[in-house]
Amino acid sequence: KRREKELRSNLCGQGSDRSSMATGANGNLVRYDDTWHIMDDANKAPAGSEVSLCRIDTRSSEYAPEGQPGAGPKAWWSKSWIPFNYRVVEVPSGDLLNPECDALVFGHLEPGSPERSDAMASPQRRLVVIDEKVHELYGDRVRSYFTARGVAHELLVLDTVEENKSIELTLEICKKMKKFNLDRRREPVIGIGGGVCLDVVGLAASMFRRRTPYIRVPTTALAYVDASVGAKNGCNFLGSKNRLGTYVPPVAALLDSSFFRTQGARDISNSLGEMCKMGIMKSEELLGLLEKHASRLIADRFQPQSKDDTVPSRVLQIAIETMLEELTPNLWEDCLDRLVDFGHGVGQCLEMDSLGLNVELMHGEAVATDMSFMTVLSNVLGHLSDSDRDRILGILHNCGLPTYHPVLTRDFFKVAMEDRIKNSLGMRLPLPVGMGKARMFNDVTDEQFEATFVLWESLCKHSTVSVAKSKAGAE
């Protein structure tokens, strides 16, 4: 009963400051005798009633015939606020698959909460969706973990690569959820893998019975700071990246950086693309750390060099916190002016168009290529100094990221920018205006883009990090 009441309370947004912004007025829905009632004066409700911040406003329909303002057709304006609460939880490196750590079973529940206490006193079951390559490396440890903790479990192993990121793959997960007979309130699905795995698991969970809780366990450095942090999930559709998807966050993202040890150097460099994005947009401290330590972060796979070495954890934590700062107040992207879109103006199209080529780009590499172009654009527009421009380009290069790509031609850019303008209702280009500082810009002219191309090519074409014939990643 307590849990049901809390779920109702969360659904209607009791006690939230945002509700007044979402509804424009106080709520007028009151629940007593197990029934909801429209009641404009909640003070008249019986003692012990539950008052919601949601509301229903009833008016005459604008299509009602004249002369029938009260008795004719009506219109109801339903105003609801649906909050999402989720945890992003780091565990000490190497602890997540240690059976002595309970994070994989209970880490999605607030420590000390009645829900966590109830769960710890009850039998547990888990469905785990795990990437094929991750399964080869960690599958036995995942099984041993749940066996040691007495958790009934099944593993669904899938080849979750970008080329397979489809609705068909998503439905395979839904089928398994149905066969597992999942309790959609108490048995969150666990996704273990990189960004593709976490995205399709999230989409499947958001569709199955309209919303089933799920947990993200990123095993790549890129997913650790990107896919695991926000609310979005999705799959590719008709050649477009993440064209199908929802805004339903996990109940938790559980983070363990020891997974990075089995990644290649190119994979780590790829993750630095998203970290550089947040540094360029919001954090000069993060940029400085990457500028100074990128080479050893790549070589050491973000593992500390001593017990007093806080650089790897500090880089990861700043990247996560700055991302959360931008995502949390705009979870459903009601505002399309988003600093986290830096590198994504044409970067996503660039990533998709390079698939299958001998110069195929990973996600962070495509983002970095876009960022290099947009950095030069800001310089051309007069918002970024030559020295800051060159410093940003140098940091990207030192992170092992490309700053130029042959697919990014003028013709490609024109089509990709048209797609950007259509889907974002304008250019809405986040551009750096200093180190760790950014602003949004619109209405860049064709002449300014052309000047950018000329300068960008002269600065980056012959000095970029090569991605040719290295799809498998360099060690």
Side-chain angles (χ1 to χ4, degrees):
K1 290 290 186 180
R2 180 188 66 243
R3 180 59 178 157
E4 290 174 359
K5 184 175 182 180
E6 182 180 272
L7 287 169
R8 289 195 303 269
S9 176
N10 286 341
L11 178 65
C12 293
Q14 280 192 311
S16 172
D17 293 336
R18 189 169 182 250
S19 61
S20 60
M21 179 179 69
T23 63
N26 294 326
N28 66 351
L29 290 166
V30 178
R31 186 176 189 270
Y32 56 89
D33 295 336
D34 294 330
T35 305
W36 286 103
H37 308 265
I38 297 176
M39 183 173 289
D40 289 326
D41 187 356
N43 293 322
K44 297 180 179 179
S49 296
E50 181 180 350
V51 181
S52 171
L53 291 179
C54 305
R55 66 180 292 112
I56 298 172
D57 292 316
T58 306
R59 304 167 184 162
S60 294
S61 169
E62 63 268 35
Y63 302 104
E66 292 186 12
Q68 290 185 324
K74 294 187 181 298
W76 293 266
W77 192 257
S78 176
K79 300 178 181 180
S80 300
W81 181 69
I82 305 174
F84 285 107
N85 303 308
Y86 63 103
R87 308 186 73 219
V88 180
V89 184
E90 290 184 315
V91 302
S93 181
D95 276 9
L96 192 60
L97 296 182
N98 180 349
E100 295 182 4
C101 175
D102 67 7
L104 267 182
V105 186
F106 304 119
H108 62 292
L109 300 169
E110 185 70 22
S113 66
E115 291 72 31
R116 187 156 177 159
S117 298
D118 290 348
M120 294 177 73
S122 305
Q124 297 294 312
R125 300 167 70 242
R126 290 295 182 270
L127 172 62
V128 179
V129 182
I130 187 168
D131 172 76
E132 187 174 84
K133 292 184 176 63
V134 176
H135 180 260
E136 293 174 5
L137 295 166
Y138 299 102
D140 289 342
R141 289 186 62 191
V142 172
R143 289 186 177 90
S144 296
Y145 174 91
F146 286 115
T147 299
R149 295 202 63 90
V151 177
H153 61 280
E154 292 185 24
L155 269 63
L156 174 62
V157 182
L158 296 173
D159 186 18
T160 55
V161 295
E162 192 70 37
E163 293 85 347
N164 296 343
K165 192 179 182 182
S166 63
I167 190 64
E168 289 78 16
L169 183 67
T170 306
L171 292 177
E172 284 298 311
I173 300 171
C174 293
K175 291 176 185 176
K176 185 64 176 180
M177 293 167 71
K178 177 68 165 60
K179 291 179 181 178
F180 190 74
N181 195 24
L182 199 75
D183 183 329
R184 65 187 181 112
R185 295 298 186 196
R186 297 179 176 85
E187 296 176 354
V189 180
I190 301 176
I192 304 179
V196 173
C197 179
L198 304 186
D199 277 354
V200 294
V201 169
L203 179 57
S206 71
M207 294 192 299
F208 189 77
R209 301 197 68 179
R210 297 179 181 84
R211 181 159 70 97
T212 296
Y214 69 101
I215 292 170
R216 289 172 173 160
V217 178
T219 57
T220 67
L222 176 64
Y224 193 103
V225 299
D226 187 25
S228 67
V229 177
K232 292 195 292 188
N233 54 64
C235 68
N236 302 334
F237 183 66
L238 296 179
S240 295
K241 187 174 178 67
N242 293 332
R243 195 48 58 95
L244 302 180
T246 69
Y247 296 100
V248 177
V251 289
L254 304 176
L255 310 181
D256 185 337
S257 62
S258 69
F259 287 114
F260 307 167
R261 293 171 182 164
T262 50
Q263 288 196 273
R266 183 179 175 189
D267 293 312
I268 301 297
S269 291
N270 178 54
S271 73
L272 297 185
E274 286 287 345
M275 297 183 212
C276 283
K277 176 187 79 175
M278 299 314 300
I280 295 168
M281 292 286 97
K282 287 177 62 74
S283 175
E284 189 172 7
E285 180 189 356
L286 178 55
L287 270 185
L289 289 170
L290 292 171
E291 185 175 36
K292 184 177 181 180
H293 299 285
S295 60
R296 67 104 155 178
L297 291 173
I298 296 168
D300 296 341
R301 308 307 195 255
F302 273 87
Q303 303 310 304
Q305 295 180 340
S306 70
K307 65 177 183 179
D308 299 320
D309 180 13
T310 61
V311 170
S313 61
R314 182 61 181 156
V315 168
L316 295 171
Q317 288 168 1
I318 297 175
I320 289 171
E321 190 161 308
T322 52
M323 187 80 81
L324 285 172
E325 281 180 340
E326 294 298 312
L327 297 179
T328 299
N330 192 28
L331 204 64
W332 284 2
E333 298 183 8
D334 297 314
C335 176
L336 295 176
D337 290 332
R338 306 171 68 242
L339 295 187
V340 293
D341 275 352
F342 185 52
H344 296 68
V346 299
Q348 289 182 309
C349 293
L350 183 62
E351 179 185 359
M352 296 301 292
D353 278 29
S354 73
L355 286 177
L357 304 179
N358 72 321
V359 287
E360 180 174 323
L361 289 167
M362 303 172 79
H363 177 72
E365 295 171 337
V367 168
T369 305
D370 181 310
M371 290 192 298
S372 69
F373 182 90
M374 296 301 175
T375 294
V376 176
L377 172 62
S378 187
N379 174 245
V380 167
L381 295 176
H383 302 301
L384 189 69
S385 68
D386 290 355
S387 60
D388 283 350
R389 175 202 68 195
D390 293 343
R391 186 181 172 196
I392 290 172
L393 294 176
I395 292 171
L396 293 173
H397 187 275
N398 291 337
C399 286
L401 294 163
T403 52
Y404 173 87
H405 195 272
V407 171
L408 184 44
T409 63
R410 288 162 172 80
D411 288 341
F412 166 88
F413 183 86
K414 181 180 179 181
V415 173
M417 186 52 60
E418 288 173 351
D419 184 69
R420 167 75 178 180
I421 292 170
K422 179 180 179 181
N423 289 291
S424 296
L425 305 180
M427 286 185 181
R428 301 181 187 273
L429 299 178
L431 299 178
V433 296
M435 305 303 289
K437 300 176 182 178
R439 296 289 186 274
M440 300 298 301
F441 293 91
N442 289 285
D443 303 323
V444 180
T445 67
D446 291 343
E447 291 75 18
Q448 290 166 330
F449 281 134
E450 175 57 29
T452 301
F453 261 102
V454 172
L455 181 56
W456 174 66
E457 289 175 339
S458 70
L459 291 170
C460 301
K461 185 173 183 178
H462 302 294
S463 62
T464 187
V465 171
S466 175
V467 296
K469 300 179 181 178
S470 57
K471 181 179 177 182
E475 294 296 328

